[in-house]
Amino acid sequence: MTSVKINPDLQKERDSCTFNTEELTNFFDAGDKYTRKRRELENKIFSIKELKDEIPDEYLSHKEKYENALRKAVLLLKALKKIGYSRNFEDVHKSSFRESIHTGIFKDGSPFMLQYSMFIPTLQGMADEEQKRRWLNRAMNFEIIGTYAQTELGHGTFIRGLETQAIYDEKTEEFILHSPTLTAYKWWPGGLAHTANYCIVMAQLIIKGKNHGMQPFIVQIRDEETHMPLPGIKVGEIGPKLTFSGVNNGFLGFEHVRIPRENMLMKYNQVLKDGTFKSNPNSKLTYGTMVYVRVTIVFGAATQLARAVTIAVRYSAVRRQSRPKPNEPEPQILDYATQQHKLFIGIATSHAYTLLAYWLWDIYTSFKKDLESGNLDRLPELHSLTCVLKVVSSKDCTRLVEQCRMSCGGHGFMMSSSLPQIYGLATAACTYEGENTVLLLQTARSMVKALDQATKGKPLSPTMAYLGERSVTTKWENSVDGIVKSFQKVSIGKLRAAVSSLKQYERSGLSPEDAWNKSSVQLISAAEAHGRAVVMSVYKSEIDKYASTVSTGLKTVLYQLVELYAIYMVLQKMGDMLLYGNLTEADVTVLQRRYEELLELLRPNAVGLVDAFDFRDEVLSSTLGSYDGFAYERLMEEAMKSPLNAEPVNQSFEKYMKPLMKGKL
Amino acid sequence: MTSVKINPDLQKERDSCTFNTEELTNFFDAGDKYTRKRRELENKIFSIKELKDEIPDEYLSHKEKYENALRKAVLLLKALKKIGYSRNFEDVHKSSFRESIHTGIFKDGSPFMLQYSMFIPTLQGMADEEQKRRWLNRAMNFEIIGTYAQTELGHGTFIRGLETQAIYDEKTEEFILHSPTLTAYKWWPGGLAHTANYCIVMAQLIIKGKNHGMQPFIVQIRDEETHMPLPGIKVGEIGPKLTFSGVNNGFLGFEHVRIPRENMLMKYNQVLKDGTFKSNPNSKLTYGTMVYVRVTIVFGAATQLARAVTIAVRYSAVRRQSRPKPNEPEPQILDYATQQHKLFIGIATSHAYTLLAYWLWDIYTSFKKDLESGNLDRLPELHSLTCVLKVVSSKDCTRLVEQCRMSCGGHGFMMSSSLPQIYGLATAACTYEGENTVLLLQTARSMVKALDQATKGKPLSPTMAYLGERSVTTKWENSVDGIVKSFQKVSIGKLRAAVSSLKQYERSGLSPEDAWNKSSVQLISAAEAHGRAVVMSVYKSEIDKYASTVSTGLKTVLYQLVELYAIYMVLQKMGDMLLYGNLTEADVTVLQRRYEELLELLRPNAVGLVDAFDFRDEVLSSTLGSYDGFAYERLMEEAMKSPLNAEPVNQSFEKYMKPLMKGKL
C-alpha cells in the first residue's frame, strides 16, 4: 500500500469539490506564509524515524507509556534544537495555535507539557529580575525541569480552600512548606510524578499567624544529579486516567520543608526579611495569563473537533452500507441525511470556535496593552466572557467529537481510529482550568449584576450591552442575522426568568445564598444562553468581516456553514426560541426544510472542507481517517502490530485453558 | 483503614434517610429471597483471593490484560463449579439480571463472555437434536470454547451485505467457507482472537450458484490439543478498543475451508445431501433471542447508570467545596442544586429503565409462549418496540453516566474511580446489537405504517395504539399522568410533521427512497419521541402497579422520583411540548419551581437511594464510591499500587533526562 494511491471514493469527492481547499487552509493559518512555515516544520519533524512508534502506545503498560513519552519528548527537543526552532513564549502569533507536531508525536500528552505551558510562563510573569536570572534561562534550556502545582486532593476550582502552607520563619529567613492533611497533597500537576525536579507551588502564605492568601513558591523537589526526591518531599504519580497517559501527573506532599525567603516569586507581592508582607495591586496583571490559557482552550476544542470530523467524514466517504434502492450499489454512508446531520454541524462548529478563538486572541492582545499601561478596567468583562466561552466550546466540541466517534459505528470504538483518545482530550477541558458549572455560575453572577446596572441606567460592558435592551416583541426573522438577535432575546429572557425566581426565593425568606443556590439551575442555563449568543454573533460577524477577502467559491460554502450552524442551534434550542424568541410552528417547518437543503448543498464539499483543516496523517493518527482512505487495510495493518498477534497461541492456553477443557481443574 | 469505620458525612446521610433501603433492594431483586441468594453468591466469590488483582488492570499492557482476564475467567469457572452454581440458560428469572459477580471480577469484560451470551444460546436455538448432542454438552462443560461471528470488517448492522460465503459442494457433501475480500473478514467477535476453538459463523449459503441468505455454521478454528489455528483459518485479535480489554475481540478469515454438511445448524433451514435447500418459516422463532438480548441491554444500561450514580452521589456527600456563607464550613457538594440536578435524574432514569426492562421481560416470556405455539403475530411490534427502547436506554444512560463522571470533577477522570470504564461499557451499547440510528429508522418505518393503518381505520398494536388517536387540543395538565399524555401528543405531532415532509418530498418528484432519506432527520426524531412516550408511560404505570405493595415511606420517594423524571423530561423537550403538547410559558414556570422543590425533597434520601442499588465495593470498584466514603484515602492507596511508584527514580532519568539537562544531547 503506497500513499500515492487514493481510494477512488475519496478521489471522486476531491474531484467534485467546488472551492479551493488551499485557500481555506491559508485562512485557518492566518496567511499562506504561515501554512508554508507550518508544513516545513512538520516535514522535518515527522520524517524522524525515532519519533515514530513501532508498537502503538495502546499496547504498552502504563509504565512503558510514560517511558516512551519521555524518550520522545527528549528526542523531539533535540530535533527542534538541531533545526534551530525555538518556541517564543512572549510573541505568539495566531498561526502558532495551528502547530501540530506535539499532537502528532504524543497521542496522549507529553511529560514536558507543563514546562512550556505553566512553569516558564509563571516564571516570566511572577518572578522578579533576580529570580528570572536564577531560573528562567535554566528552564528555557531544560537544565531544570519544572511544573506548576496548585490543585490538591481536596480542592480544585475553589482556590481559597487550598491547604498547603508556607509559614515564614523570620529567624532563619525561610518558608516552611507543609501539607497539614492528606487532602492538602498536591494532586494532578503534569510532569510532577517522576519528571520535574523543580516545582512552582501555590501555598497559603502565613506570617506570624496571619494568612496572606495564596502565593507562588519555587521549590526544588529532586536532586539534580541523582533525581532522588529531597528530604521531606513526598512525590509520586497519581495513576492511570481517562487520557493523558504520557503526562505523568503526580502528587506532592511536604513535611516541614524549608526553602529560602528568595524562593517566593516576588515580582508583585513581597515578603521582607523581617516578615513584612508588601502586597502589590498589580498582581492582578497575572490574570492576563488566565485569559491567554482560555483562548488556547477554545482553540484546542475547535481543533480536537476538527480532527474528529476529518476522520469521520473521510470514513463516511469510503464506508458503503445498506441498499435502499434494490438495483443500485450500497451508498457511501455520507449520502445518508442522518449521517450528514451528525457530521456537518461538527465542521461548522469547528469553524465557529476557531473564529471565536482568533477574535478572543485579538481582544487579549489589546487587553495586554491596557495591562501594560496599568489599565485593569476590562478585566471583569474578560473574566466572565472567557469563563462562558471556555464552557460552551468544551461542552459542544466534546459532544460533537463523541457524535463523530459514534457515526463511525463499531470501528469508531477501536483505539486505532484515535476517536476514543480525541474524546478523552476534548472532555478533559470541561473539567480543567475551572470546572464548567462553577464557571457558568461566575458568568451568571456578572450577568445578574449587569441586569441590575442596566435597570439603574448604567452602561454595560460591550459583550453584555444587549442585556440592557428593552424587550421588543418583534417578529421572528428567518435569516442568520435574525437568528443572532433571537439568541440575544433568549439570553435576556432566561436571565430575567432566573432573576425573577431568585427574587421570589428571597422574598419567601431564604438567605441570598440559599436563594442563589435554589435558582442556580436556571442561572447556569441563562449563562450558557449568553455564551451561545456571543458565539452566534461573533461567528456571523467574523464571516462577514472576512467574506470580502476570499473568493466567491469559498465565500459561498462559508456562508452555508454559518447558516447551517444557526438553524441547527435554533432547532436544538427550539423551546427557548418559542418562549423568548417569538419563533412559531410555521417558522420551524421552514427552518427544518432549509436545514435539509443545506445538508444537501454541503454534501459535495464535505471532504474538501475537512481536507482544508490540513491535518497530516501523523496528526490524525487514525486508521479510519487517513488521507488515502484505505480504512479497512489500515485497520488490519494496525491489528497486526499487536504483540498478542505475534504468537499464534498465547501462553494462557497451556496454563489455564487446556486444564479447563480437559476437566482437570 | 478498616471498612467498619464510616466517613461521618456518609453516616449522617444514612442516619437521616426516611425509607427502608432494604425494602427497595428487595424490590429491585424481585423478592427478598433473591436478595439473600445474590448476596450469598457474592460473599462466596468475592472472598476468593486469587480473583482479586494486586495490581489494577489499568497498569498492565494490553497483552497482560488479556492474560489476567483469561486466568480469572478459568478460576471463576472452577470456583462456581466447586460451590455447585450453574447458570441455567433456559430458565432465567428476573433476579438473574442483578447478578454482579462478573462485573466485580472483570472490570473490562471476560474472554468467555460470548460462550454464555451467544455460543450456547445459538446452539440451543438453532442446532438440531443430533447437533446438540455433539456440541451443546461439550460447550456447557467448557470442553470446547466458542464464539459467534457475524459482523465483518465491511458490514455490521446491514446483514444482507455480509460477504463470507458457504458454498455447498454436493460431490463431497461439504461447505466451502471463504472470505472473498478483506472486508469479508469477520471482525469484533468476543473471544475469537486467541480464546475460542469453535465458532458459529454466519455466512451466505450458496448452492449451485444460488444464494439462500445468511445461515449459521459451526466451524472448528483451532486444534483442541495444540490450540494452533487450523489450515485455511486466519485468526487473530483486532487490537485495543475504548473498553472491553478483557474480551479478546478477534478477526477471522477463511481460505476455502471445508466443513461437513452436518455443520450447518439445521433445526430450521436444512441442506440435504443433494443440495436441496429446505427453508422453514419457523426459523423466525430465533428472533425471540433478539428480543431477549435487547431486554438485557435495557437492563444493562440501567445497571451501568446505577453504578455511576452510586459512585457520584457518595462522593458528592463526602466532597466539601467552596464557602458560600462566610462563617460556615464548606458544604457537601451534594447540597448544591446544580449537583442535585446532575445526579438525581440519574437515579430516576435508572429506576425507569429497570422497571422498563422487567416489563419487557414479562412481555418476552408471554411472547415465548406464543412462539412455542407457532404464533408470530406480535413479532413486528416487539421488533420495533425493542429497537427504540434499546436506543433510548443506551443513549440516556450513556449521557447520564458521563454526567455523573463529570460531576466528580478531576477525580472522576481517574481510572480508579471506575467512571471512565463505566462510560465505555455504557456507550458501547449505542453501537452493538444494531446501531442506534439504524434502529430508530426501523421503528420510524413501522410508525409510518401504523399511521397509515390508523387512517384506514385498521387496528394498531397495543404500544402504538395511541398513534391512532385524533389530536385533541386539550389543555396542558401539570400532573405526571398529564405529562404521560403530552409525551404521546409529541410523538403523534412529530410523526405527522415527518410524514407530511415525506409526502411533500415525494410530490416534488423525489423517489420514495430519496424522500425517505431527506426526511430521515425528522423521522428518527419522531421514533425517539415514541420511545420516550413508551418509557414515560410504562415507568408511571409500573410504579402505580407496585405502589400498593410497598410501605408508605418508600412509596413517597418512588413517586417523587417518577415526578422528577417527568418534569425533567418536559423541560428537556420543552420545544416539542410547546409545539405539540400545549405547554405554556406559565406552566414552564410552575414546573421549574416544582422541579427545584423535588430536588430539595429528594436530597435527604439521595445516599439511601444509591445504597439501595446494593452494589458491593468489589462491583463498584471505585476509589470515589466505596461504602465507607473514604475517597481521598483510597485515591492515594490506589496510586501507591502503580509500578511507577515502586521506584523513586525511573530509568528514563539516566537514559534521557540527565543528558538533556546536562546539555549533552
Side-chain angles (χ1 to χ4, degrees):
Chain A
M1 188 180 58
T2 73
S3 54
V4 185
K5 226 178 103 192
I6 301 287
N7 187 318
D9 276 337
L10 216 43
Q11 191 55 55
K12 186 191 74 183
E13 299 293 331
R14 291 185 177 130
D15 294 341
S16 60
C17 179
T18 67
F19 70 96
N20 181 349
T21 58
E22 184 69 12
E23 188 185 358
L24 183 51
T25 303
N26 296 336
F27 174 74
F28 289 135
D29 282 318
D32 57 347
K33 178 178 131 194
Y34 296 103
T35 303
R36 257 197 322 275
K37 236 179 109 180
R38 179 174 55 77
R39 286 182 185 157
E40 267 169 34
L41 181 64
E42 289 171 354
N43 282 339
K44 281 179 188 154
I45 295 300
F46 292 132
S47 63
I48 300 172
K49 211 175 143 265
E50 297 79 46
L51 291 174
K52 293 185 206 290
D53 294 323
E54 261 177 66
I55 295 177
D57 249 21
E58 294 83 45
Y59 292 107
L60 306 183
S61 73
H62 181 68
K63 190 176 168 196
E64 289 165 339
K65 283 177 193 166
Y66 166 64
E67 291 167 350
N68 189 36
L70 188 80
R71 179 186 67 83
K72 289 194 291 184
V74 170
L75 293 180
L76 175 62
L77 277 173
K78 185 180 156 185
L80 288 172
K81 200 173 158 189
K82 203 174 148 194
I83 62 178
Y85 169 92
S86 75
R87 198 155 172 170
N88 192 333
F89 296 93
E90 302 228 289
D91 182 30
V92 182
H93 182 263
K94 272 183 195 178
S95 62
S96 326
F97 291 116
R98 293 259 298 160
E99 271 183 12
S100 58
I101 46 172
H102 282 83
T103 316
I105 287 167
F106 309 99
K107 218 169 160 177
D108 213 11
S110 144
F112 291 161
M113 214 165 86
L114 275 271
Q115 175 93 342
Y116 294 118
S117 66
M118 291 301 295
F119 187 61
I120 291 174
T122 307
L123 285 176
Q124 283 170 331
M126 302 184 84
D128 63 27
E129 290 311 310
E130 169 59 23
Q131 291 174 323
K132 279 188 193 162
R133 269 190 295 277
R134 278 182 67 195
W135 291 301
L136 189 57
N137 253 333
R138 296 195 76 204
M140 303 279 263
N141 294 333
F142 276 79
E143 290 164 37
I144 60 176
I145 292 162
T147 182
Y148 176 92
Q150 179 170 306
T151 319
E152 296 171 359
L153 247 182
H155 286 89
T157 304
F158 178 60
I159 292 168
R160 278 186 297 137
L162 295 169
E163 299 174 82
T164 302
Q165 300 170 339
I167 302 169
Y168 187 61
D169 178 352
E170 63 270 29
K171 286 191 282 298
T172 59
E173 294 176 18
E174 287 171 321
F175 295 105
I176 306 163
L177 285 171
H178 188 58
S179 314
T181 59
L182 173 64
T183 48
Y185 268 59
K186 298 294 177 189
W187 190 270
W188 276 115
L192 176 61
H194 299 89
T195 313
N197 52 9
Y198 280 78
C199 182
I200 290 167
V201 176
M202 297 301 291
Q204 305 282 0
L205 169 62
I206 297 164
I207 307 175
K208 297 170 188 159
K210 189 174 175 225
N211 190 324
H212 294 276
M214 297 301 292
Q215 304 297 336
F217 301 85
I218 183 163
V219 188
Q220 184 178 353
I221 54 174
R222 287 177 180 269
D223 184 273
E224 290 190 29
E225 290 301 317
T226 65
H227 210 55
M228 282 295 285
L230 295 180
I233 301 284
K234 303 282 156 196
V235 65
E237 78 132 354
I238 63 172
K241 302 130 290 177
L242 172 50
T243 185
F244 292 122
S245 62
V247 173
N248 198 223
N249 303 81
F251 65 78
L252 175 63
F254 298 99
E255 288 183 349
H256 308 286
V257 172
R258 289 180 169 263
I259 55 170
R261 185 184 62 91
E262 294 79 8
N263 279 29
M264 178 173 128
L265 297 185
M266 299 222 205
K267 180 165 175 185
Y268 301 110
N269 300 335
Q270 290 165 357
V271 173
L272 305 186
K273 288 183 182 176
D274 65 355
T276 308
F277 179 71
K278 290 181 68 176
S279 101
N280 181 335
N282 280 338
S283 63
K284 281 200 173 168
L285 294 178
T286 55
Y287 284 102
T289 316
M290 179 209 71
V291 176
Y292 170 71
V293 169
R294 299 229 170 110
V295 180
T296 65
I297 292 178
V298 175
F299 197 89
T303 305
Q304 297 301 353
L305 177 54
R307 286 176 72 204
V309 79
T310 300
I311 296 166
V313 165
R314 287 186 184 156
Y315 177 65
S316 299
V318 301
R319 174 86 170 172
R320 291 178 169 272
Q321 206 73 184
S322 201
R323 200 172 285 130
K325 298 179 184 172
N327 300 317
E328 292 188 14
E330 296 183 56
Q332 295 164 285
I333 59 173
L334 194 54
D335 284 335
Y336 291 109
T338 47
Q339 190 78 351
Q340 297 161 9
H341 177 54
K342 289 175 194 173
L343 299 181
F344 296 172
I345 184 62
I347 300 174
T349 303
S350 182
H351 283 210
Y353 285 116
T354 302
L355 290 170
L356 191 84
Y358 284 158
W359 172 82
L360 212 50
W361 174 254
D362 290 338
I363 295 183
Y364 166 71
T365 42
S366 86
F367 171 64
K368 238 174 71 173
K369 281 185 201 129
D370 285 2
L371 275 186
E372 280 153 19
S373 62
N375 177 357
L376 289 163
D377 294 353
R378 298 187 68 188
L379 189 58
E381 179 189 15
L382 266 178
H383 172 68
S384 85
L385 179 67
T386 54
C387 279
V388 73
L389 295 181
K390 184 262 185 189
V391 173
V392 289
S393 62
S394 59
K395 183 175 171 177
D396 291 354
C397 294
T398 298
R399 186 180 72 80
L400 293 170
V401 162
E402 197 59 348
Q403 191 159 295
C404 288
R405 180 182 68 71
M406 295 179 59
S407 80
C408 296
H411 297 336
F413 210 73
M414 302 289 308
M415 296 301 266
S416 73
S417 75
S418 265
L419 290 166
Q421 295 92 326
I422 295 174
Y423 178 71
L425 297 171
T427 187
C430 297
T431 305
Y432 62 57
E433 290 297 327
E435 194 278 328
N436 273 2
T437 304
V438 178
L439 295 189
L440 282 178
L441 284 167
Q442 294 186 8
T443 298
R445 185 78 67 182
S446 55
M447 287 168 75
V448 173
K449 249 188 236 163
L451 192 65
D452 185 55
Q453 299 264 313
T455 323
K456 292 173 181 156
K458 290 183 187 163
L460 302 183
S461 64
T463 50
M464 283 197 187
Y466 75 91
L467 291 176
E469 279 167 29
R470 296 278 109 213
S471 80
V472 219
T473 48
T474 45
K475 256 192 68 189
W476 175 268
E477 205 190 309
N478 263 344
S479 67
V480 177
D481 289 316
I483 291 173
V484 169
K485 271 182 251 157
S486 67
F487 267 93
Q488 296 177 342
K489 279 187 229 159
V490 165
S491 169
I492 299 171
K494 289 182 86 95
L495 177 61
R496 288 195 182 152
V499 167
S500 142
S501 151
L502 189 62
K503 287 186 178 158
Q504 235 178 312
Y505 281 124
E506 283 185 10
R507 276 196 301 274
S508 78
L510 290 187
S511 70
E513 295 86 3
D514 290 335
W516 179 267
N517 187 27
K518 285 274 271 186
S519 307
S520 56
V521 175
Q522 294 182 61
L523 286 162
I524 57 173
S525 180
E528 190 179 319
H530 169 58
R532 305 215 168 278
V534 173
V535 176
M536 186 71 251
S537 130
V538 171
Y539 184 15
K540 178 59 168 48
S541 63
E542 291 296 294
I543 289 289
D544 285 343
K545 201 168 87 190
Y546 289 112
S548 62
T549 67
V550 300
S551 68
T552 317
L554 179 55
K555 195 163 82 178
T556 306
V557 70
L558 291 180
Y559 271 114
Q560 283 168 354
L561 282 170
V562 75
E563 189 182 357
L564 178 96
Y565 182 84
I567 299 179
Y568 181 96
M569 294 306 286
V570 169
L571 295 174
Q572 275 254 315
K573 302 284 166 189
M574 193 170 70
D576 293 336
M577 295 289 165
L578 288 163
L579 273 193
Y580 306 115
N582 302 319
L583 183 71
T584 69
E585 187 171 353
D587 297 318
V588 172
T589 310
V590 172
L591 288 173
Q592 183 69 43
R593 180 98 188 188
R594 176 64 182 159
Y595 179 74
E596 287 155 8
E597 196 177 346
L598 282 165
L599 292 180
E600 195 167 316
L601 287 170
L602 283 162
R603 165 66 187 85
N605 286 323
V607 168
L609 279 165
V610 302
D611 281 352
F613 288 127
D614 200 29
F615 293 115
R616 287 173 63 114
D617 280 353
E618 289 90 344
V619 176
L620 285 183
S621 184
S622 172
T623 46
L624 305 184
S626 64
Y627 187 81
D628 64 14
F630 290 109
Y632 300 118
E633 288 80 357
R634 284 178 191 270
L635 276 167
M636 186 56 92
E637 202 173 65
E638 280 295 301
M640 294 318 291
K641 293 180 184 166
S642 169
L644 266 171
N645 283 335
E647 304 156 329
V649 178
N650 181 270
Q651 49 154 329
S652 313
F653 174 70
E654 287 293 336
K655 238 163 136 179
Y656 293 102
M657 248 162 59
K658 202 167 178 182
L660 170 75
M661 287 161 57
K662 300 290 173 195
K664 288 180 185 160
L665 267 185
Chain B
M1 188 178 58
T2 72
S3 54
V4 185
K5 226 178 103 192
I6 301 286
N7 186 319
D9 276 339
L10 215 44
Q11 192 55 53
K12 186 191 72 184
E13 300 293 330
R14 291 186 177 128
D15 293 342
S16 60
C17 178
T18 67
F19 71 98
N20 180 349
T21 58
E22 185 69 12
E23 189 185 357
L24 183 51
T25 303
N26 296 336
F27 174 75
F28 289 135
D29 281 318
D32 56 348
K33 179 179 130 192
Y34 295 104
T35 303
R36 255 194 325 275
K37 236 178 108 178
R38 178 174 57 75
R39 286 182 185 157
E40 268 168 35
L41 181 65
E42 289 171 354
N43 282 338
K44 281 178 187 153
I45 295 299
F46 292 133
S47 63
I48 300 172
K49 211 176 144 261
E50 296 80 46
L51 291 174
K52 293 186 206 288
D53 294 323
E54 262 179 65
I55 296 177
D57 249 21
E58 294 84 45
Y59 292 107
L60 306 183
S61 73
H62 181 68
K63 190 176 169 199
E64 289 164 341
K65 283 177 192 166
Y66 165 63
E67 290 166 352
N68 189 38
L70 188 80
R71 179 186 68 82
K72 289 195 290 184
V74 170
L75 293 181
L76 175 61
L77 278 173
K78 185 179 155 188
L80 288 172
K81 201 173 158 190
K82 202 174 148 195
I83 62 178
Y85 169 92
S86 76
R87 198 155 173 170
N88 192 331
F89 296 94
E90 302 229 290
D91 182 29
V92 182
H93 183 264
K94 271 183 196 177
S95 62
S96 326
F97 291 117
R98 294 260 298 161
E99 270 184 12
S100 58
I101 46 172
H102 281 83
T103 316
I105 287 168
F106 309 100
K107 218 166 158 177
D108 214 10
S110 143
F112 291 161
M113 214 164 88
L114 276 271
Q115 175 93 342
Y116 293 118
S117 66
M118 292 299 297
F119 187 60
I120 291 175
T122 307
L123 285 176
Q124 283 171 329
M126 303 183 84
D128 63 26
E129 292 310 312
E130 167 61 21
Q131 291 174 323
K132 278 188 194 165
R133 269 190 295 278
R134 277 183 66 196
W135 291 301
L136 189 56
N137 254 333
R138 296 195 77 204
M140 304 279 263
N141 294 333
F142 276 80
E143 291 164 38
I144 58 176
I145 292 163
T147 182
Y148 176 92
Q150 179 170 304
T151 319
E152 297 171 358
L153 248 183
H155 287 89
T157 304
F158 178 59
I159 293 168
R160 279 186 295 139
L162 294 169
E163 298 173 82
T164 303
Q165 300 169 338
I167 303 169
Y168 187 61
D169 178 352
E170 62 271 30
K171 288 193 280 303
T172 59
E173 293 176 19
E174 287 171 324
F175 295 105
I176 305 162
L177 284 172
H178 188 58
S179 314
T181 58
L182 173 65
T183 49
Y185 269 57
K186 297 293 174 188
W187 190 270
W188 276 114
L192 175 61
H194 299 89
T195 313
N197 51 11
Y198 280 77
C199 183
I200 291 166
V201 176
M202 296 302 291
Q204 304 282 0
L205 169 62
I206 297 164
I207 307 175
K208 295 170 188 159
K210 188 171 177 232
N211 189 325
H212 294 277
M214 298 301 293
Q215 304 296 336
F217 300 85
I218 182 162
V219 188
Q220 184 178 351
I221 56 174
R222 286 176 180 269
D223 184 272
E224 289 191 30
E225 289 301 316
T226 65
H227 211 55
M228 282 295 287
L230 295 180
I233 301 284
K234 303 283 156 196
V235 66
E237 78 132 356
I238 63 171
K241 302 132 290 178
L242 173 49
T243 187
F244 292 120
S245 62
V247 174
N248 199 223
N249 304 80
F251 65 78
L252 175 63
F254 298 99
E255 288 183 349
H256 307 287
V257 171
R258 289 179 170 263
I259 55 170
R261 185 183 61 90
E262 294 80 6
N263 279 29
M264 178 171 128
L265 298 186
M266 298 221 206
K267 180 167 175 184
Y268 301 111
N269 301 334
Q270 290 166 355
V271 173
L272 305 186
K273 288 183 181 177
D274 65 355
T276 308
F277 179 71
K278 289 181 68 176
S279 101
N280 182 334
N282 281 338
S283 64
K284 279 199 176 170
L285 293 179
T286 56
Y287 284 102
T289 316
M290 178 208 73
V291 176
Y292 170 72
V293 169
R294 298 230 170 112
V295 180
T296 65
I297 292 178
V298 175
F299 197 89
T303 305
Q304 297 302 352
L305 177 55
R307 287 176 72 204
V309 79
T310 301
I311 296 166
V313 165
R314 287 185 183 158
Y315 177 65
S316 300
V318 302
R319 174 85 170 173
R320 291 177 168 273
Q321 206 72 186
S322 200
R323 198 172 286 131
K325 297 179 185 172
N327 299 318
E328 292 187 15
E330 297 183 54
Q332 296 165 285
I333 58 174
L334 194 54
D335 284 334
Y336 292 108
T338 47
Q339 190 77 350
Q340 297 162 6
H341 176 55
K342 289 176 194 173
L343 300 181
F344 297 172
I345 184 61
I347 300 174
T349 303
S350 182
H351 282 211
Y353 286 116
T354 301
L355 290 170
L356 190 85
Y358 285 157
W359 171 83
L360 212 51
W361 174 254
D362 290 338
I363 295 183
Y364 166 70
T365 41
S366 87
F367 170 65
K368 239 175 74 174
K369 281 186 201 127
D370 285 4
L371 275 186
E372 280 153 16
S373 62
N375 176 358
L376 288 163
D377 293 353
R378 297 188 67 188
L379 190 59
E381 180 190 14
L382 266 176
H383 173 68
S384 85
L385 179 66
T386 54
C387 279
V388 74
L389 295 181
K390 185 261 183 188
V391 173
V392 289
S393 62
S394 59
K395 183 176 170 177
D396 291 354
C397 294
T398 298
R399 185 180 72 79
L400 292 170
V401 162
E402 196 59 348
Q403 192 160 296
C404 288
R405 179 181 70 71
M406 294 179 59
S407 80
C408 296
H411 297 335
F413 209 74
M414 302 288 309
M415 296 301 266
S416 73
S417 75
S418 266
L419 290 166
Q421 296 91 326
I422 295 174
Y423 178 71
L425 297 172
T427 187
C430 298
T431 305
Y432 62 58
E433 290 298 325
E435 195 278 326
N436 274 1
T437 304
V438 178
L439 294 190
L440 282 177
L441 283 166
Q442 294 186 9
T443 298
R445 184 79 67 185
S446 55
M447 288 170 73
V448 172
K449 249 188 234 164
L451 193 64
D452 184 55
Q453 300 264 312
T455 323
K456 292 172 182 154
K458 290 184 189 165
L460 302 182
S461 65
T463 51
M464 282 197 187
Y466 75 91
L467 291 176
E469 279 167 30
R470 297 279 108 214
S471 82
V472 217
T473 47
T474 45
K475 254 192 70 189
W476 176 268
E477 203 189 310
N478 264 344
S479 67
V480 178
D481 288 316
I483 291 173
V484 169
K485 272 182 251 157
S486 68
F487 266 94
Q488 296 176 341
K489 279 186 230 160
V490 165
S491 169
I492 299 171
K494 289 182 85 96
L495 177 61
R496 287 194 182 153
V499 168
S500 140
S501 152
L502 188 63
K503 287 185 179 158
Q504 234 178 311
Y505 280 126
E506 283 185 9
R507 276 196 302 273
S508 78
L510 290 187
S511 71
E513 295 85 2
D514 291 335
W516 178 267
N517 186 27
K518 285 274 271 186
S519 306
S520 56
V521 174
Q522 295 182 62
L523 287 161
I524 57 172
S525 181
E528 189 178 319
H530 170 58
R532 304 215 168 278
V534 174
V535 176
M536 185 71 252
S537 132
V538 172
Y539 184 16
K540 177 59 170 47
S541 62
E542 291 297 292
I543 289 289
D544 287 341
K545 202 168 87 190
Y546 290 111
S548 61
T549 69
V550 300
S551 69
T552 319
L554 180 54
K555 194 162 83 179
T556 307
V557 71
L558 291 181
Y559 271 113
Q560 284 167 354
L561 282 171
V562 76
E563 190 183 355
L564 178 96
Y565 182 85
I567 300 179
Y568 181 97
M569 294 306 287
V570 169
L571 295 174
Q572 273 254 315
K573 302 285 166 188
M574 193 169 70
D576 293 336
M577 294 289 162
L578 289 162
L579 273 192
Y580 306 115
N582 302 319
L583 183 71
T584 69
E585 187 170 354
D587 297 318
V588 172
T589 309
V590 173
L591 289 172
Q592 182 69 43
R593 180 97 187 189
R594 176 63 182 159
Y595 179 74
E596 287 155 9
E597 198 176 346
L598 283 165
L599 292 180
E600 196 167 315
L601 288 169
L602 284 162
R603 165 68 187 84
N605 286 322
V607 169
L609 280 165
V610 301
D611 281 352
F613 289 126
D614 200 29
F615 293 115
R616 287 174 62 114
D617 280 354
E618 290 89 344
V619 176
L620 284 183
S621 183
S622 172
T623 46
L624 304 184
S626 65
Y627 186 81
D628 64 13
F630 290 109
Y632 300 118
E633 289 80 356
R634 285 178 190 271
L635 276 167
M636 186 57 91
E637 204 173 64
E638 279 296 302
M640 293 318 291
K641 293 181 185 167
S642 168
L644 266 170
N645 284 335
E647 304 156 327
V649 178
N650 180 270
Q651 50 154 329
S652 313
F653 174 69
E654 287 293 337
K655 236 163 137 180
Y656 294 102
M657 248 163 57
K658 202 165 176 180
L660 170 75
M661 286 161 56
K662 301 288 172 195
K664 288 180 182 156
L665 269 183

